[in-house]
Amino acid sequence: MKLHFEPNLDFQRDAVDAVCDLFRGQERCRTEFTVTWKPDDSLLFQKDSGLGIGNRLSILDEELLTNLRDVQFRNKLPPADVIGTRDFTVEMETGTGKTYVYLRTIFELNRKYGFTKFVIVVPSVAIKEGVYKTLQITDEHFAALYDNPPRSYFLYDSAKLGQVRDFATSPHIRIMVVTVGAINKKDVNNLYKESEKTGGEKPIDLIKETRPILIVDEPQSVDGGLEGRGKEALGSMNPLCTLRYSATHQQKFNMVYRLDAVDAYNRKLVKQIEVASASVDGGFNKPYVKVLSTSSKGGRVSASVELDVQQAGRVARVTKIVSDGDDLEQVTERAVYANHRIGEISADKSRQYVEVRVPGGEHWLAPGDAINDVDQDAVTRQMIRRTIREHLDKEKRLRPRGIKVLSLFFLGSVADYRQYDDAGNAVKGRCAGIFEDEYRKLMKHPDYQDLFGGADVETEPELVHNGYFSIDRRTAAGADVLKDTNGNTKADDDTYALIMRDKERLLSLDTPLKFIFSHSALREGWDNPNVFQICTLRDMKSEMQRRQTIGRGLRLCVNQEGERVRDNDTNVLTVVATESYQDFADKLQKEIEADTGFRFGFVDRDGFAAVSVRVGERETPLGIAES
């Protein structure tokens, strides 16, 4: 399969133009500098080894500020009073083509102003692999759009510093992709040491002289805080300017374009989200009590417990603070807790417990203990079964249209999917076994006979799922031992590389793999346009954000020709969770407000600035002062 790219999407062109128009009035030019060779510290021995080619800014900061305010006015953003820093922010919701936009911006800046040197800085191997893959698959597309300009791109490698010399000396477009971890450790990094491969110069000095335009992908993960090493490493490159792209900026410098989560949804640029709540029948029909912690403060001993409480006409599992003698029927407002009371509570560090008095006796619960808890295997089975059914229902509709359906599971532990016997051989974990069991059952269901035909019920389930985890070591039997990671470490290299290499293969109907299991959140860096189901087999309330999780499936899907499908009824992402739709939606909305600063039900004052009003005989924008 070959992915196709649409060159005329207005929201992407607007994002490109927002950056390019900052430099309106800039002459098309280049700056040259001497690249020298110094085999030792002596100034007596020096020879010219060629010219370096860099970027140069000819407009003044006052002109840059005027351009910035014009761009902000056009895009209904608060106007800047001063430039302050040549950092510029572009906010684009996950799934709207952020990487495509900044790569196209490179070619547009080259065509308009002659800029040639660009460094893309990313926070992780995941995104580095994703950017490099996008550079490869968009190369032909951009060549056609921009008359095939001479260009090259490379992943920075401290063992191949000759690439940095070419970056500095070439008069053509050069794009270097580097992780922040490869540039922010000065004491051990070859980037900051003299090398014969760069003509005796420190590679960082050559990069500085080019005055590169920095493109920072996910700056909230690159900077390392206000005074972080990542931010310091960016400054050490002496950039002409820094362009910062993300959906969730922590700091916003000179915002020039914003396409937030609400805009993306309203413009139908991402999938719609639906929540399929999975619960076990009768799960709330018994008096559930789970002890979380005990406390002794100000002479009052109390306990934090989890209970099934009646709220707004429905039952919800919530945390309550209780004391000795509390009547749980009153606390929960549910008759199922009749004659259940809290007894003695001990908050002693060496002996913590809560006495729960029930008809016919009592329970002594330590933190983490529970009574009448729902069987977690039953919950897991219900969620996996629901995900498979949602998947197969979509597959029935979409396979005839040439659209491959994928589902993504997030696990609490690698051991839930894969374990090892005494001989070191890999064996199926709990979730893998449940998946195959439920898949076999549904293969025999009358509703899905058209999908399976003569497929072998015994072997087919093993072909359609796989796990993507980081390898820790190998057993004597040759099996890869996998480990839990957070999706952000060096150990995830193999995982991300494999997933990124498989991107087109996963989209092909000829590939049986359809269900993907992972432990980490696969934060930024991995997504696939044809993920239609996400099942969270781990707690989303605390361990990972909803927005981050669903971002893996927000992109609009593609067909077997690699063409984007823009049918609103087709592009629906189903999230299988243990929460109700209302709970999920409320918490997602709060996360969007926290991440973006957007407030549901409110319009920012600056949003009215571009509204047209009639003044005499002509239409004119309302303006910042009047809005």
Side-chain angles (χ1 to χ4, degrees):
M1 175 188 292
K2 184 178 181 181
L3 294 172
H4 293 269
F5 298 91
E6 300 168 274
N8 297 314
L9 297 177
D10 57 353
F11 65 95
Q12 293 182 343
R13 291 302 305 270
D14 289 345
V16 174
D17 292 343
V19 171
C20 292
D21 289 350
L22 289 171
F23 305 101
R24 193 169 52 241
Q26 164 79 17
E27 297 176 0
R28 185 177 176 86
C29 55
R30 73 182 189 184
T31 182
E32 298 181 347
F33 59 92
T34 301
V35 178
T36 59
W37 177 52
K38 304 173 187 174
D40 53 38
D41 292 332
S42 171
L43 296 179
L44 300 176
F45 187 77
Q46 197 176 101
K47 73 173 183 179
D48 217 356
S49 65
L51 289 177
I53 310 295
N55 303 323
R56 180 164 64 89
L57 192 64
S58 60
I59 60 173
L60 302 175
D61 278 351
E62 290 79 3
E63 296 173 277
L64 193 59
L65 176 60
T66 298
N67 291 341
L68 171 62
R69 289 174 63 88
D70 288 345
V71 169
Q72 290 171 327
F73 177 80
R74 183 174 77 213
N75 291 322
K76 302 177 185 177
L77 297 168
D81 295 323
V82 295
I83 286 289
T85 174
R86 288 184 186 166
D87 286 48
F88 303 97
T89 297
V90 176
E91 181 178 311
M92 295 186 71
E93 175 62 3
T94 301
T96 57
K98 164 174 61 73
T99 307
Y100 174 90
V101 164
Y102 67 64
L103 293 182
R104 182 160 183 178
T105 299
I106 288 174
F107 286 90
E108 197 72 25
L109 287 171
N110 173 260
R111 180 165 71 178
K112 288 187 174 182
Y113 309 116
F115 297 139
T116 57
K117 304 303 164 67
F118 302 87
V119 178
I120 301 172
V121 184
V122 301
S124 66
V125 173
I127 299 181
K128 182 183 76 171
E129 292 287 344
V131 171
Y132 193 66
K133 184 72 173 180
T134 305
L135 277 163
Q136 292 174 319
I137 63 180
T138 57
D139 188 67
E140 186 178 325
H141 169 77
F142 289 134
L145 283 179
Y146 292 93
D147 299 325
N148 199 26
R151 66 208 175 274
S152 72
Y153 48 87
F154 66 99
L155 299 177
Y156 170 76
D157 185 339
S158 60
K160 300 177 181 178
L161 294 178
Q163 293 176 315
V164 176
R165 182 179 177 82
D166 174 72
F167 176 86
T169 57
S170 172
H172 305 304
I173 296 174
R174 289 294 182 266
I175 303 170
M176 180 170 76
V177 185
V178 60
T179 61
V180 66
I183 62 174
N184 65 3
K185 299 174 183 175
K186 291 187 177 181
D187 52 340
V188 297
N189 200 317
N190 289 338
L191 188 70
Y192 301 93
K193 299 177 182 178
E194 294 179 356
S195 171
E196 291 184 6
K197 295 178 181 178
T198 54
E201 297 291 323
K202 297 176 182 177
I204 189 63
D205 289 339
L206 292 180
I207 294 172
K208 278 183 181 180
E209 291 295 334
T210 68
R211 299 299 312 276
I213 292 177
L214 294 190
I215 294 172
V216 185
D217 196 328
E218 307 297 350
Q220 72 278 5
S221 300
V222 167
D223 288 346
L226 287 172
E227 304 297 332
R229 288 194 299 179
K231 196 160 188 144
E232 181 183 343
L234 298 179
S236 70
M237 292 189 182
N238 191 30
L240 183 79
C241 68
T242 302
L243 309 176
R244 307 164 70 86
Y245 292 80
S246 179
T248 54
H249 292 275
Q250 288 182 351
Q251 293 178 277
K252 300 179 181 181
F253 304 90
N254 300 321
M255 179 82 76
V256 296
Y257 184 77
R258 180 171 61 201
L259 179 66
D260 60 32
V262 178
D263 292 332
Y265 175 80
N266 288 337
R267 296 175 68 171
K268 300 179 180 178
L269 305 178
V270 293
K271 290 191 181 89
Q272 302 176 75
I273 303 168
E274 65 177 11
V275 178
S277 181
S279 60
V280 176
D281 291 341
F284 292 124
N285 294 339
K286 294 180 180 180
Y288 164 78
V289 182
K290 180 177 182 179
V291 175
L292 303 178
S293 63
T294 62
S295 174
S296 179
K297 293 182 180 179
R300 178 176 181 260
V301 180
S302 63
S304 174
V305 299
E306 201 172 52
L307 304 166
D308 293 337
V309 178
Q310 187 75 27
Q311 288 184 337
R314 60 189 178 86
V315 178
R317 187 155 289 181
V318 298
T319 300
K320 292 283 188 179
I321 304 298
V322 295
S323 301
D324 188 348
D326 281 356
D327 184 338
L328 296 185
E329 183 178 8
Q330 294 180 2
V331 172
T332 62
E333 299 184 13
R334 298 189 67 216
V336 73
Y337 284 91
N339 300 315
H340 284 64
R341 290 180 176 275
I342 297 297
E344 182 183 354
I345 301 174
S346 172
D348 189 281
K349 288 184 179 180
S350 62
R351 193 162 170 263
Q352 297 184 53
Y353 61 81
V354 176
E355 179 190 9
V356 181
R357 296 171 183 165
V358 303
E362 61 277 320
H363 296 276
W364 302 88
L365 305 179
D369 291 344
I371 57 173
N372 295 320
D373 197 1
V374 175
D375 180 4
Q376 283 304 304
D377 275 357
V379 174
T380 298
R381 184 173 293 275
Q382 173 67 8
M383 294 180 73
I384 290 175
R385 179 191 301 126
R386 183 65 183 269
T387 304
I388 297 172
R389 291 205 67 145
E390 293 285 343
H391 179 110
L392 296 178
D393 287 340
K394 284 200 179 87
E395 193 170 332
K396 283 175 64 177
R397 292 190 295 109
L398 301 182
R399 186 194 281 182
R401 297 173 55 188
I403 299 172
K404 172 79 173 285
V405 177
L406 298 173
S407 292
L408 180 59
F409 294 89
F410 287 126
L411 299 163
S413 168
V414 171
D416 290 336
Y417 184 81
R418 189 167 297 161
Q419 298 181 2
Y420 303 89
D421 61 20
D422 294 339
N425 298 305
V427 295
K428 295 182 180 71
R430 179 176 63 95
C431 290
I434 291 173
F435 174 85
E436 292 186 5
D437 185 35
E438 293 301 323
Y439 195 84
R440 285 190 179 94
K441 292 177 184 177
L442 289 170
M443 285 182 71
K444 301 173 185 177
H445 196 285
D447 289 350
Y448 306 119
Q449 291 309 297
D450 291 345
L451 289 176
F452 296 111
D456 187 338
V457 175
E458 292 305 314
T459 60
E460 179 77 7
E462 296 183 359
L463 301 177
V464 298
H465 71 101
N466 206 347
Y468 288 83
F469 311 106
S470 296
I471 298 173
D472 186 19
R473 56 189 170 80
R474 288 229 165 114
T475 67
D480 291 331
V481 176
L482 307 169
K483 63 180 179 180
D484 300 340
T485 58
N486 63 10
N488 234 4
T489 66
K490 182 70 174 173
D492 294 286
D493 291 12
D494 58 303
T495 308
Y496 291 124
L498 179 59
I499 290 174
M500 294 312 302
R501 284 198 301 267
D502 280 352
K503 192 164 188 174
E504 287 93 346
R505 187 172 71 88
L506 285 173
L507 289 168
S508 172
L509 289 172
D510 295 331
T511 301
L513 178 62
K514 298 181 284 190
F515 296 89
I516 300 163
F517 287 80
S518 178
H519 169 256
S520 70
L522 291 176
R523 297 174 62 177
E524 312 103 340
W526 187 88
D527 47 51
N528 192 296
N530 287 26
V531 170
F532 284 92
Q533 287 74 228
I534 291 178
C535 179
T536 57
L537 297 172
R538 60 185 290 179
D539 183 13
M540 262 211 306
K541 290 181 284 188
S542 59
E543 291 188 43
M544 75 174 82
Q545 291 187 324
R546 287 157 185 74
R547 195 161 177 233
Q548 172 182 296
T549 304
I550 65 175
R552 302 313 101 216
L554 283 182
R555 292 185 184 276
L556 299 182
C557 66
V558 299
N559 59 24
Q560 291 301 285
E561 284 70 47
E563 299 167 338
R564 197 75 63 185
V565 177
R566 299 193 173 277
D567 177 9
N568 206 38
D569 292 333
T570 298
N571 285 293
V572 178
L573 173 66
T574 303
V575 180
V576 179
T578 54
E579 299 173 282
S580 69
Y581 173 79
Q582 188 62 48
D583 286 340
F584 188 93
D586 288 346
K587 292 168 185 174
L588 178 60
Q589 180 171 311
K590 289 177 182 176
E591 284 190 10
I592 291 173
E593 289 183 335
D595 284 343
T596 66
F598 176 90
R599 292 187 299 163
F600 288 90
F602 293 86
V603 178
D604 290 336
R605 174 180 172 181
D606 302 290
F608 294 99
V611 173
S612 293
V613 295
R614 182 172 290 278
V615 178
E617 296 298 319
R618 64 190 182 88
E619 294 279 337
T620 185
L622 181 63
I624 295 294
E626 298 296 329
S627 63

